[in-house]
Amino acid sequence: MLELWPLDTGRAFMAAQRACLAALEGRATADKARAAFIKAADEADVHIRSHEDPRKAAMRNPAKSQAWRKANKSALEAVEKSVTKIKAERERFFRKRRNSRNSHGSGLA
């Protein structure tokens, strides 16, 4: 936060710096510093990847999990459709190539 943070101003940024320093000095908890850091990240549009077990997150918010599964299923179906199309195009290409060789003769005995 001291050197590579996108914003060097902002209320959440300043609070996070104080909270992290206090936690390092033993005057605040790590949870308080973490909460302040997350607010500062949000303020600066910095993405924080969750370290929470996705199964626990799904149990906590089943509606969100269902929406994710539906979107994932749609994406998977689109990929499968594309793969099927590519396979069909590949098969047509090689069939056309074989037919072309057979009609012109390959010159092999």
Side-chain angles (χ1 to χ4, degrees):
M1 286 190 85
L2 296 175
E3 296 177 15
L4 299 175
W5 201 252
L7 296 175
D8 59 354
T9 60
R11 197 173 259 172
F13 171 77
M14 301 302 280
Q17 281 190 325
R18 286 190 302 272
C20 289
L21 181 60
L24 287 171
E25 293 173 345
R27 296 181 290 113
T29 66
D31 288 337
K32 183 178 179 183
R34 183 178 191 277
F37 182 86
I38 290 170
K39 285 181 183 177
D42 187 45
E43 178 182 70
D45 291 328
V46 172
H47 173 73
I48 298 177
R49 185 176 61 209
S50 173
H51 295 287
E52 182 180 20
D53 183 343
R55 293 169 293 188
K56 287 182 182 177
M59 295 303 291
R60 190 181 70 252
N61 192 348
K64 195 173 193 178
S65 179
Q66 289 172 357
W68 180 85
R69 279 195 296 264
K70 185 177 179 180
N72 195 33
K73 182 179 178 185
S74 295
L76 183 58
E77 288 170 352
V79 168
E80 287 174 347
K81 187 176 180 180
S82 295
V83 168
T84 301
K85 184 179 176 182
I86 291 168
K87 285 180 178 180
E89 289 174 3
R90 182 176 178 265
E91 181 59 35
R92 280 193 299 275
F93 171 81
F94 284 109
R95 189 179 317 119
K96 185 176 178 181
R97 189 173 172 188
R98 280 192 304 270
N99 291 341
S100 176
R101 284 183 177 172
N102 288 341
S103 65
H104 295 299
S106 62
L108 299 174

